[in-house]
Amino acid sequence: MTHGDVRDLIAPYVVGALEAPESVEMEEHLEGCGFCANLAREALEVVHCLPYVAPQRPLPGGALERLLTSISGGASGIYRTSTIAEATALAPAAIEARAPATERKGRRWQTWFRSPSLFPVAAGFILVAGMAAWNVSLERELGSERREMDVMRGRLGQQSHLLLMVTSTASMARPLQGTALAPSAQVRLIMDGESNSAMLFASHLPPLGSNQVYEVWLGRQGVRVPAGTFQVDQQGDGECSLQLDGSIHSYDSAWITAEPARGGPMPNSPGIARGAL
Amino acid sequence: MEQSGRTASPQRFQPLDEELVRLVAGGDSDALAELFRRYAGAVYSLAYRMLNDREGAEELLNEAFVRVWRQAPSFDARRGKFSTWLMSVARNLGIDELRSRRARPQRADPLTPQDAELDPADERVDVEADVWNSERRRLIREAMRGLPAAQREALELAYFEGLTQSEIATRLGDPLGTTKTRIRLGLQKLRDLLLSGELGAEIS
Ligand SMILES: [Zn+2]
């Protein structure tokens, strides 16, 4: 198989639609070709979204009780005696084994668990984690310049806020609480350590006056740093890609305030929402 | 920031999936129940979509989580996140079950090919306690709707019914080349849609 052949077959390969012999050929190629393996990994990230295309069905009653009975050595289902092979990851090892970014994340999260009040919400960030991994591999394997990497990561943070929502091990979500000024506000700050980017998603904020914007502030050891401004629509929904002046891990809190248009270096009004990071 | 010791609304923070898996590996069935609470809806929905029958979907759901229980000690978070792994386990169980059904003449084909149109009614069913999962599902389905129907159908037949390209071509009465193109373009377009900012603007 040439690189070109492989590229044409990546999509059917990752959705599992190749005939077995072709699949084997693909795997052989991917094991020896970092470039095609990167393309395949990228395609696989999309495939990881497909389970969620299934229409939602309400869970049958008693499902959890049944599971707990099963694991305590009770009732067995058809799968206990069937010939179904042990399930393995859909993705071929050739692709999934290369995940340097994920590896680092794993270790970082481990240490976070030691702080019980700060358990991050598990947000499931397939795509961002994957793309960060892709970037890292690309850098290593194709020798991209670091500056180019930074630009790519920056673009990832700016453009693909949807990915942040969709995707997770590298990212985490923190809620901000609406204050008395905005009791029904729902605000989430999504932070991705790998790309050092963050997005804020707000719903049900009060309408702004003319020439006003909402401004996001990040706190670090008592100092508030302006991190971006945004408008809201008629439903009070808005979002903002945050500008960070340091590592995402260096901040300890976040606020939103209503400010004169263009924002400002210091907050001039009480907080609409706030939270610890 | 984790060292700050701030405790604002600690009840809003929940253990990560990977932490729960570690507890499950140590025999903690409460942690298993929590993972079940988070993902059973998604697994069951996937199973139902694949097998198109309630009993089979329940079996699959149970088996997928039995495997979580048994295989948690060997789960390696560095290789990917838990939900991806769980969904792969569920999907593989589904594919195996479909194959074995196809091999059983008495249950020749319990599956009717599902219309590739997405059922809008189910959007109202909020069976997943985890708001993140609901949101993710909504966004992904939104992106899927943006695909031309023929591309969506080809992708769904491959992913949910485990058909190969030539089986899909036969099923739809298309030339193999057409099917190949649809799968390739469909996946590419889906990726573009997921990445596109227009969708992001609809996040509520
Ligand atoms: Zn190649």
Side-chain angles (χ1 to χ4, degrees):
Chain A
M1 273 190 189
T2 67
H3 298 293
D5 296 335
V6 167
R7 260 162 254 172
D8 281 348
L9 291 179
I10 280 175
Y13 172 66
V14 294
V15 295
L18 281 190
E19 312 288 343
E22 278 178 315
S23 210
V24 170
E25 269 192 79
M26 276 295 283
E27 271 161 37
E28 282 167 4
H29 183 98
L30 295 178
E31 272 179 43
C33 177
F35 190 77
C36 289
N38 280 326
L39 292 174
R41 189 184 311 118
E42 200 179 68
L44 200 56
E45 287 150 17
V46 181
V47 171
H48 287 158
C49 293
L50 288 176
Y52 303 96
V53 171
Q56 273 180 288
R57 300 279 169 185
L59 265 188
L64 178 57
E65 291 70 21
R66 178 180 171 186
L67 171 65
L68 297 176
T69 308
S70 296
I71 61 166
S72 63
S76 63
I78 57 166
Y79 290 99
R80 283 298 176 87
T81 51
S82 77
T83 57
I84 284 179
E86 288 290 296
T88 53
L90 169 68
I95 302 177
E96 302 258 60
R98 306 155 178 257
T102 313
E103 200 166 303
R104 285 200 305 279
K105 278 160 224 153
R107 283 199 286 274
R108 199 181 72 221
W109 286 115
Q110 297 278 321
T111 61
W112 287 22
F113 294 129
R114 313 250 150 76
S115 174
S117 68
L118 287 158
F119 284 148
V121 174
F125 280 59
I126 311 163
L127 288 167
V128 161
M131 291 191 69
W134 182 79
N135 282 353
V136 169
S137 308
L138 195 70
E139 175 184 48
R140 205 179 47 192
E141 290 167 23
L142 301 181
S144 297
E145 298 198 2
R146 176 153 298 281
R147 203 171 63 81
E148 202 174 324
M149 283 286 302
D150 292 343
V151 171
M152 286 167 71
R153 286 217 173 115
R155 201 176 292 151
L156 183 69
Q158 292 294 318
Q159 274 184 356
S160 49
H161 49 288
L162 174 68
L163 296 189
L164 285 166
M165 305 296 296
V166 170
T167 60
S168 170
T169 43
S171 304
M172 59 181 177
R174 290 289 160 76
L176 306 192
Q177 315 296 329
T179 64
L181 294 172
S184 56
Q186 293 179 353
V187 184
R188 294 180 297 265
L189 188 64
I190 299 183
M191 304 185 285
D192 180 51
E194 198 61 45
S195 58
N196 200 49
S197 59
M199 290 279 307
L200 180 135
F201 296 91
S203 302
H204 309 302
L205 294 188
L208 285 163
S210 56
N211 291 324
Q212 270 195 317
V213 291
Y214 280 116
E215 184 156 14
V216 185
W217 308 88
L218 293 174
R220 182 195 286 125
Q221 295 170 349
V223 178
R224 293 183 183 193
V225 187
T229 61
F230 64 100
Q231 302 273 355
V232 290
D233 63 15
Q234 287 180 335
Q235 282 77 47
D237 297 354
E239 65 202 42
C240 181
S241 179
L242 304 188
Q243 291 175 345
L244 309 179
D245 68 348
S247 161
I248 185 67
H249 306 299
S250 66
Y251 304 104
D252 50 38
S253 53
W255 293 264
I256 299 176
T257 62
E259 299 293 332
R262 295 177 158 272
M266 294 289 289
N268 291 305
S269 69
I272 294 287
R274 61 170 166 254
L277 301 184
Chain B
M1 68 190 79
E2 62 271 29
Q3 291 89 355
S4 69
R6 286 166 193 268
T7 53
S9 307
Q11 72 278 6
R12 297 292 297 270
F13 300 120
Q14 298 174 4
L16 280 174
D17 293 349
E18 286 69 24
E19 169 69 356
L20 291 170
V21 176
R22 199 180 59 72
L23 294 171
V24 169
D28 184 339
S29 60
D30 289 343
L32 183 70
E34 173 59 18
L35 287 171
F36 189 89
R37 190 193 64 77
R38 291 182 187 182
Y39 295 108
V43 171
Y44 182 72
S45 299
L46 171 63
Y48 200 106
R49 173 65 183 82
M50 294 183 78
L51 304 179
N52 207 20
D53 92 74
R54 185 185 156 145
E55 195 187 330
E58 282 189 58
E59 287 287 345
L60 195 158
L61 170 66
N62 199 63
E63 179 61 18
F65 279 91
V66 167
R67 296 208 177 185
V68 171
W69 178 251
R70 286 204 219 124
Q71 295 176 16
S74 57
F75 174 76
D76 184 355
R78 291 170 304 180
R79 293 196 56 199
K81 63 191 192 113
F82 169 75
S83 61
T84 304
W85 176 71
L86 173 63
M87 289 305 176
S88 295
V89 166
R91 196 234 175 196
N92 287 344
L93 287 169
I95 296 289
D96 287 342
E97 173 63 12
L98 285 173
R99 283 187 189 142
S100 110
R101 284 182 182 190
R102 285 183 197 123
R104 286 197 295 259
Q106 69 276 19
R107 298 187 67 173
D109 191 5
L111 302 175
T112 51
Q114 295 201 6
D115 194 323
E117 286 302 316
L118 299 169
D119 170 17
D122 79 285
E123 297 284 0
R124 294 190 306 270
V125 184
D126 187 13
V127 294
E128 282 163 324
D130 186 341
V131 66
W132 284 99
N133 278 334
S134 305
E135 191 139 308
R136 172 167 53 184
R137 179 181 296 276
R138 191 178 68 74
L139 292 167
I140 293 170
R141 286 170 62 81
E142 191 83 26
M144 199 69 175
R145 276 199 198 94
L147 292 187
Q151 292 176 12
R152 190 165 67 219
E153 191 172 23
L155 283 180
E156 293 208 10
L157 285 171
Y159 188 79
F160 292 114
E161 302 192 24
L163 300 186
T164 64
Q165 297 186 109
S166 39
E167 287 166 337
I168 294 167
T170 306
R171 171 84 74 95
L172 300 179
D174 289 327
L176 181 57
T178 306
T179 300
K180 286 182 174 176
T181 306
R182 282 180 180 154
I183 291 176
R184 190 158 46 82
L185 294 181
L187 202 67
Q188 180 61 47
K189 176 107 196 275
L190 183 60
R191 179 167 182 276
D192 293 345
L193 286 167
L194 286 166
L195 283 162
S196 94
E198 287 163 56
L199 277 172
E202 293 180 21
I203 291 164
S204 58

Short mmCIF file of all heavy atoms in Angstrom, two decimals, chain A residues 3 7 29 33 36, ligand 1:
data_model
loop_
_atom_site.label_atom_id
_atom_site.label_comp_id
_atom_site.label_asym_id
_atom_site.label_seq_id
_atom_site.Cartn_x
_atom_site.Cartn_y
_atom_site.Cartn_z
N HIS A 3 1.24 5.48 0.51
CA HIS A 3 0.64 6.45 1.43
C HIS A 3 -0.71 6.91 0.90
O HIS A 3 -1.66 7.08 1.65
CB HIS A 3 1.55 7.67 1.60
CG HIS A 3 2.88 7.34 2.18
ND1 HIS A 3 3.05 6.90 3.47
CD2 HIS A 3 4.13 7.39 1.63
CE1 HIS A 3 4.34 6.69 3.69
NE2 HIS A 3 5.00 6.97 2.60
N ARG A 7 -4.29 6.66 2.72
CA ARG A 7 -5.10 7.83 3.06
C ARG A 7 -6.54 7.67 2.59
O ARG A 7 -7.48 8.10 3.25
CB ARG A 7 -4.47 9.11 2.51
CG ARG A 7 -3.70 9.84 3.60
CD ARG A 7 -2.74 10.82 3.04
NE ARG A 7 -1.39 10.30 3.16
CZ ARG A 7 -0.33 10.87 2.63
NH1 ARG A 7 -0.45 11.95 1.91
NH2 ARG A 7 0.85 10.34 2.83
N HIS A 29 0.93 -0.84 7.60
CA HIS A 29 1.43 0.45 7.13
C HIS A 29 1.49 1.48 8.28
O HIS A 29 2.48 2.18 8.43
CB HIS A 29 0.57 0.99 5.99
CG HIS A 29 1.09 2.28 5.42
ND1 HIS A 29 1.85 2.34 4.28
CD2 HIS A 29 0.98 3.57 5.86
CE1 HIS A 29 2.19 3.60 4.04
NE2 HIS A 29 1.66 4.37 4.98
N CYS A 33 4.47 3.97 9.61
CA CYS A 33 4.38 5.30 9.01
C CYS A 33 3.70 6.27 9.97
O CYS A 33 2.48 6.26 10.13
CB CYS A 33 3.63 5.25 7.69
SG CYS A 33 3.41 6.89 6.96
N CYS A 36 0.91 8.76 8.32
CA CYS A 36 -0.43 8.19 8.10
C CYS A 36 -1.09 7.83 9.44
O CYS A 36 -2.30 7.96 9.60
CB CYS A 36 -0.36 6.95 7.20
SG CYS A 36 0.04 7.36 5.48
ZN ZN C 1 2.01 6.40 5.13
#
